[in-house]
Amino acid sequence: MRSDGACRFRSRADGRPIFHFLNTSTFSQYTVLDSACVVNIHPPRHLKMMSLFSCCVSTGVGAAWNVANVQAGSSVAIFGLGALGLAAAQGAKVRGASKIIGVDINSQKFIKGKAMGVTDFVNPMDSSKPVHERIREMTGGGGVDHSLECVGNPQVLREAFLSTHDGWGQTVLVGIYSTSQLLPLHPMELFDGRSITGTIFGGVKGKSQLHHIAHRCLQPDMNMEELITHELPFEKINEAMQLLADGKALRCIMHL
């Protein structure tokens, strides 16, 4: 853990250390937490919905509200329609975005996307034309005001960047990048005023702001229950992971 670099759990079988994951280790009945990872939500809410705020909703909605600062009438493109991207779409919708373009290679996600506020869809596999060109055509040739990259792929990031409007277009990195590849941009591509920025936890300050985000996002108009698509007993965790890998699930609640 961060305080001393030591683990708190050991295997009963051979005494080997079992390390924390993201300072929480929530796939366990009992755990030890860093105080920085504990927030009091008052009044208490249903635990099923609370699970969405560990990353998914907080990061997606926060990226739209705190980082992109989507305004009424603006246009948004969201790359990746997993739970994170759909939460961002819902955040943009509530802010009054006039056009929310969802981009994903799984067309089945467009059904859920429509329920979460996405107005237009692009499947990169449907055409040989680059996605950014298609988005520019859909926006009258200019591009969107904001693009949110929720995949964690450098080439997708480039398409997201090129989809934004010259002069003020903003790209927000929301996904996690597992590659060592550097940004796929030339410095002069930023010369005309477009920008690119990143975010952790959607810019939400856990201790002071998570309560307010949770309260707002659980209002009926936010429709966040749509993100929970499955509930399974914990012994089927591998099945849950496969549902995610196959694009058949958004968030799966595991019952211990």
Side-chain angles (χ1 to χ4, degrees):
M1 296 188 72
R2 292 195 309 168
S3 59
D4 57 10
C7 66
R8 297 298 187 272
F9 307 125
R10 292 190 178 275
S11 169
R12 285 181 177 178
D14 55 18
R16 287 186 303 168
I18 300 174
F19 297 107
H20 267 58
F21 179 69
L22 291 179
N23 294 312
T24 55
S25 289
T26 49
F27 285 163
S28 56
Q29 290 176 297
Y30 300 95
T31 189
V32 179
L33 299 173
D34 188 306
S35 61
C37 299
V38 182
V39 178
N40 181 21
I41 302 294
H42 185 78
R45 302 282 180 163
H46 198 294
L47 285 177
K48 181 192 297 187
M49 296 302 295
M50 284 296 97
S51 67
L52 295 174
F53 293 93
S54 60
C55 176
C56 167
V57 170
S58 306
T59 302
V61 171
W65 291 356
N66 299 333
V67 186
N69 192 22
V70 174
Q71 299 294 313
S74 60
S75 56
V76 182
I78 298 174
F79 288 73
L81 296 180
L84 190 60
L86 291 176
Q90 186 67 200
K93 174 188 175 183
V94 170
R95 277 291 182 91
S98 60
K99 182 182 287 291
I100 304 172
I101 302 172
V103 182
D104 202 289
I105 60 173
N106 183 352
S107 296
Q108 294 298 314
K109 292 184 177 180
F110 295 168
I111 300 172
K112 185 71 72 172
K114 190 172 184 179
M116 297 297 288
V118 179
T119 60
D120 302 87
F121 302 95
V122 173
N123 186 331
M125 309 301 289
D126 289 345
S127 172
S128 59
K129 182 178 291 188
V131 171
H132 73 272
E133 292 184 8
R134 296 167 67 181
I135 289 178
R136 284 178 173 268
E137 290 175 355
M138 296 168 69
T139 54
V144 293
D145 300 309
H146 311 279
S147 69
L148 287 78
E149 202 284 321
C150 303
V151 178
N153 181 299
Q155 295 310 310
V156 175
L157 172 61
R158 178 161 181 79
E159 287 297 310
F161 174 77
L162 294 175
S163 299
T164 59
H165 201 292
D166 291 344
W168 63 80
Q170 178 192 38
T171 301
V172 181
L173 284 73
V174 188
I176 300 295
Y177 292 77
S178 58
T179 177
S180 59
Q181 182 179 339
L182 300 179
L183 285 175
L185 303 173
H186 189 282
M188 291 305 295
E189 291 181 303
L190 299 169
F191 195 68
D192 61 4
R194 287 183 290 186
S195 65
I196 185 168
T197 189
T199 179
I200 296 177
F201 205 47
V204 176
K205 296 179 180 178
K207 286 290 189 182
S208 61
Q209 298 177 338
L210 188 59
H211 164 72
H212 301 290
I213 287 284
H215 177 75
R216 178 63 186 92
C217 289
L218 290 178
Q219 299 304 308
D221 64 321
M222 292 294 282
N223 212 22
M224 289 303 174
E225 65 275 3
E226 292 282 342
L227 297 177
I228 299 176
T229 55
H230 296 75
E231 296 187 45
L232 293 171
F234 190 75
E235 56 265 26
K236 293 187 177 181
I237 188 170
N238 289 334
E239 180 180 328
M241 295 300 293
Q242 193 60 50
L243 286 169
L244 287 171
D246 293 341
K248 297 178 180 178
L250 293 174
R251 282 293 181 268
C252 179
I253 300 295
M254 309 304 300
H255 293 280
L256 287 168

